Amino acid sequence: MSDKKRLDLEYSQLESDRMRINVGPQHPSTHGVLRLEVEVEGEIVTEVVPHLGYLHRCFEKHCEKMTYLQVIPYIDRLDYISAMNNEWPYVMALEKLMDIKVPDKVEYIRVIMAELNRIANHQIAVATFGLDAGAFTPFLFFFRDREYIIWILEKMSGARLLYNYFRVGGLAADVYPGFKEDCLNIVKQVRKTNAEVMDLLIYNKIFIQRSANVGVLSPDVAINFACSGPVLRGSGVKFDLRKDDPYSIYDRFDFDIPVGLGEVGVVGDCWNRNMVRVNEMEQSCRIIEQAIAQMPDEGDVKALVPKRIKPPKGEVYMRAENPKGELGFYIVSNGTDKPERIKARGASFVNLSVIPEISKGYMFADLILILGSIDIVLGEVDR
Amino acid sequence: MGLLDRLDDPYEGGGIILGKVEDLLNWGRSKSDWYLHFGLACCAIEFMAMNASHFDFMRFGTIPRTSPRQADFIMVTGTVTFKMADRIKILYEQMAEPKYVISVGSCSNCGGPYWEHGYHVLKGVDRIIPVDVYIPGCPPRPEAFEEGMMLLQKKISHQAIFNKRKRLESEV
């Protein structure tokens, strides 16, 4: 089946000129300002060259000039769809360097925030992937639910999209009354919508024909390109930092790591990558339910937040499982209140590098779908 | 703007409206603005939320167009880098007159958080194209988008159409 879809280049004996097409940076399906230089033969893609840098926002330069606390808002703006998840590895890295043990309540709130944001991110990813394939209704369904999640995050942090909520050793604010009920209602709503979307989009015959057997990424190629997150798990590799290198309190929860099973199409195609995201939403719901049941009510979330962050000399690397994949921060401290250097390892940038590999030999229309299934965000690619 | 209100006037009742043609044209223009579908950075995500179920941007008569030649106004949603700046200028020049620009978010208003140390960021999109409405925020709330859209409609509905050429010549 997979060979049938991957059109053989030698099969067409027609002499045709190769044509170079420019896609982006202004294009509704490039998920931002990515520019792709595509070489096509007829309608078959023979080469893809991504051009980056249209959203380069000087992240590392800003880190040199700012204090440790001032860096947090810039980290929000890396992967702006899942800002809570972004702040976490940075804050954890500084806690590791300064040797701070975070209270239990803070850890639980962080887990709930991160998982809520993971659901919101996957909702956008699946919604826009559907949009690329021509399905508009799931987009409206997912954005309706996402708005309820955003309302919780807004009540907690004061912002809708870029939160600036995590602090070294704690959080910016405590939970509000009625937080637990709100979260449980969200979990219910997310499950209901996912069941609807299963019929509307995921098992829709047209959608399966568009996305199954397209953009097959084999596990060894995925590992060689250092892919992570749903892109890697869609290829059947069971690797998730929450299980394999447990940080925070993820070892206290009971959840599964969804991988691509090849239920429709073959393992590693666009459909399976997308399915991993849908399944991860369910697992995030499970984590939120357990975290809310275990969360202690007493405790001060700001008790251990230092007035002035001045870590000792040294260097530290901390990584966490972002919705897009593995996000790591490498921090070099010179003993002052400003970092010497901060390097971010963004998952989107690494995952994007696999595009030229997996889109060769497919139709030009499939290239847009492959790009959508990788779920990149250009703020993290260009930084 | 309020053309139908005049029907309530006892003097002008009976289905006859006395008014300027300019008002009628401007009423039509301001209520069916098509915009260039173009996202740059974080603000574009809020703009997606704006287009979706809760806020429903299309009730303002706006329809996303993917080609600048069909668009009435462009929304610059996000950080404008030097590399992107000439692209935006080209897109703006491709649009047909009359054309408008809404600058969304701190980054495209003035450079935003990247104003001080950003060696690669344009400090305000109004350095390359003329801006009609500025929407503040980082990113702005969807309600702010609505406010900006209403401001643009207000601006369009008060514009003079006739004698424009003569007026422009006198200004030169």
Side-chain angles (χ1 to χ4, degrees):
Chain A
M1 184 67 186
S2 75
D3 293 339
K4 200 175 159 193
K5 190 110 190 192
R6 190 184 266 270
L7 297 164
D8 198 355
L9 288 178
E10 290 171 3
Y11 180 75
S12 59
Q13 298 296 316
L14 292 169
E15 285 287 323
S16 62
D17 288 338
R18 295 198 169 182
M19 187 166 57
R20 290 190 95 81
I21 299 178
N22 185 45
V23 185
Q26 186 261 326
H27 189 277
S29 296
T30 50
H31 297 257
V33 283
L34 174 68
R35 181 178 152 221
L36 294 174
E37 199 183 329
V38 187
E39 195 181 73
V40 288
E41 188 172 319
E43 210 173 327
I44 300 159
V45 175
T46 52
E47 198 189 347
V48 181
V49 185
H51 290 265
L52 311 177
Y54 289 95
L55 194 55
H56 175 61
R57 296 200 281 196
C58 341
F59 168 68
E60 289 174 14
K61 170 74 180 168
H62 282 92
C63 294
E64 291 170 10
K65 295 283 178 187
M66 303 287 171
T67 61
Y68 282 100
L69 195 60
Q70 287 171 330
V71 168
I72 295 179
Y74 290 93
I75 287 168
D76 283 338
R77 283 155 183 78
L78 288 183
D79 179 359
Y80 37 78
I81 303 177
S82 51
M84 289 279 187
N85 287 281
N86 279 8
E87 293 164 14
W88 205 356
Y90 173 74
V91 169
M92 270 197 299
L94 283 179
E95 279 157 7
K96 198 171 159 190
L97 197 59
M98 295 169 74
D99 205 16
I100 296 175
K101 179 83 181 69
V102 182
D104 248 16
K105 189 185 180 186
V106 174
E107 293 278 28
Y108 278 106
I109 298 175
R110 282 181 182 182
V111 166
I112 295 169
M113 291 291 106
E115 294 304 322
L116 280 176
N117 211 334
R118 189 186 306 274
I119 294 175
N121 174 79
H122 284 343
Q123 281 176 334
I124 287 195
V126 178
T128 51
F129 184 56
L131 214 55
D132 288 342
F136 193 67
T137 315
F139 172 79
L140 295 176
F141 277 39
F142 274 135
F143 266 76
R144 179 193 62 201
D145 281 8
R146 180 177 172 267
E147 205 67 27
Y148 300 133
I149 297 177
I150 296 272
W151 287 349
I152 291 187
L153 300 180
E154 188 186 356
K155 278 186 198 169
M156 296 290 282
S157 67
R160 271 175 61 91
L161 193 66
L162 306 168
Y163 307 106
N164 190 13
Y165 181 63
F166 285 28
R167 295 282 182 275
V168 177
L171 297 165
D174 206 343
V175 294
Y176 62 91
F179 167 71
K180 292 183 177 178
E181 290 76 31
D182 278 2
C183 287
L184 292 176
N185 287 337
I186 285 289
V187 167
K188 229 179 278 170
Q189 179 69 30
V190 166
R191 282 182 175 148
K192 198 176 148 210
T193 310
N194 276 7
E196 280 175 333
V197 169
M198 282 291 181
D199 296 337
L200 264 176
L201 182 74
I202 307 294
Y203 289 109
N204 186 322
K205 201 176 173 189
I206 303 169
F207 182 72
I208 288 175
Q209 281 182 346
R210 275 303 303 275
S211 63
N213 299 316
V214 168
V216 180
L217 174 65
S218 58
D220 48 330
V221 174
I223 291 168
N224 285 347
F225 274 82
C227 292
S228 52
V231 178
L232 179 65
R233 290 195 285 274
S235 299
V237 183
K238 205 167 187 171
F239 179 75
D240 189 316
L241 288 176
R242 291 176 291 174
K243 279 270 192 210
D244 292 314
D245 182 12
Y247 54 92
S248 185
I249 49 165
Y250 272 111
D251 46 353
R252 298 185 201 172
F253 303 118
D254 171 35
F255 63 102
D256 301 326
I257 306 297
V259 290
L261 298 169
E263 188 185 346
V264 174
V266 292
V267 174
D269 63 356
C270 290
W271 192 90
N272 281 290
R273 276 198 285 279
N274 195 47
M275 193 61 192
V276 167
R277 296 200 178 93
V278 179
N279 288 335
E280 268 185 23
M281 278 191 234
E282 167 59 28
Q283 300 306 323
S284 292
C285 288
R286 282 178 67 192
I287 296 175
I288 291 171
E289 279 176 340
Q290 293 171 39
I292 283 187
Q294 298 173 14
M295 191 176 116
D297 285 324
E298 283 78 37
D300 187 3
V301 295
K302 287 194 254 185
L304 292 177
V305 180
K307 286 271 181 296
R308 192 158 177 230
I309 302 167
K310 210 170 169 185
K313 230 176 201 178
E315 52 193 72
V316 66
Y317 180 75
M318 194 69 209
R319 56 185 186 165
E321 185 73 25
N322 227 28
K324 306 266 191 308
E326 179 188 325
L327 177 72
F329 282 104
Y330 176 67
I331 301 175
V332 181
S333 162
N334 53 6
T336 61
D337 59 348
K338 286 180 182 171
E340 174 93 19
R341 178 160 156 70
I342 294 180
K343 162 88 173 78
R345 185 256 191 228
S348 298
F349 177 71
V350 181
N351 288 351
L352 180 66
S353 65
V354 88
I355 276 262
E357 194 69 21
I358 62 173
S359 51
K360 268 176 212 158
Y362 294 101
M363 292 290 203
F364 185 69
D366 293 338
L367 173 66
I368 299 298
L369 223 60
I370 293 169
L371 188 62
S373 76
I374 285 188
D375 185 24
I376 51 162
V377 56
L378 264 291
E380 202 181 46
V381 173
D382 292 341
R383 292 195 279 272
Chain B
M1 293 296 278
L3 276 180
L4 290 177
D5 293 344
R6 297 189 196 174
L7 282 175
D8 299 335
D9 193 333
Y11 185 68
E12 294 177 346
I16 298 168
I17 300 173
L18 295 178
K20 290 188 282 182
V21 180
E22 207 170 59
D23 282 352
L24 182 68
L25 290 176
N26 278 339
W27 171 75
R29 279 199 316 135
S30 66
K31 295 291 190 290
S32 66
D33 288 316
W34 292 1
Y35 63 92
L36 181 62
H37 187 104
F38 179 40
L40 274 174
C42 333
C43 298
I45 303 299
E46 284 293 74
F47 194 52
M48 273 161 75
M50 178 77 213
N51 275 303
S53 333
H54 270 267
F55 299 99
D56 190 15
F57 200 40
M58 278 192 199
R59 68 197 150 114
F60 290 94
T62 55
I63 297 175
R65 306 308 299 176
T66 45
S67 162
R69 296 180 197 281
Q70 299 168 344
D72 291 315
F73 70 96
I74 178 172
M75 271 194 163
V76 184
T77 50
T79 315
V80 185
T81 58
F82 289 158
K83 197 172 177 180
M84 201 65 211
D86 39 342
R87 302 301 175 112
I88 289 177
K89 197 165 166 57
I90 292 169
L91 283 173
Y92 178 74
E93 283 165 354
Q94 282 179 336
M95 285 162 64
E97 289 274 0
K99 52 192 174 185
Y100 305 93
V101 178
I102 297 183
S103 163
V104 179
S106 304
C107 287
S108 69
N109 288 347
C110 65
Y114 308 98
W115 181 79
E116 195 177 357
H117 304 296
Y119 55 85
H120 200 265
V121 173
L122 191 72
K123 292 173 178 61
V125 76
D126 49 5
R127 297 189 178 205
I128 49 166
I129 55 176
V131 177
D132 292 287
V133 178
Y134 296 89
I135 302 176
C138 188
R141 299 177 62 82
E143 288 88 343
F145 280 87
E146 291 173 358
E147 170 87 33
M149 191 59 224
M150 279 148 74
L151 280 173
L152 184 69
Q153 286 183 342
K154 210 170 167 184
K155 176 167 185 172
I156 294 173
S157 63
H158 286 99
Q159 273 189 329
I161 302 175
F162 301 117
N163 298 329
K164 192 182 174 189
R165 196 174 297 154
K166 207 185 280 175
R167 204 180 62 243
L168 284 175
E169 278 167 7
S170 68
E171 280 172 11
V172 172

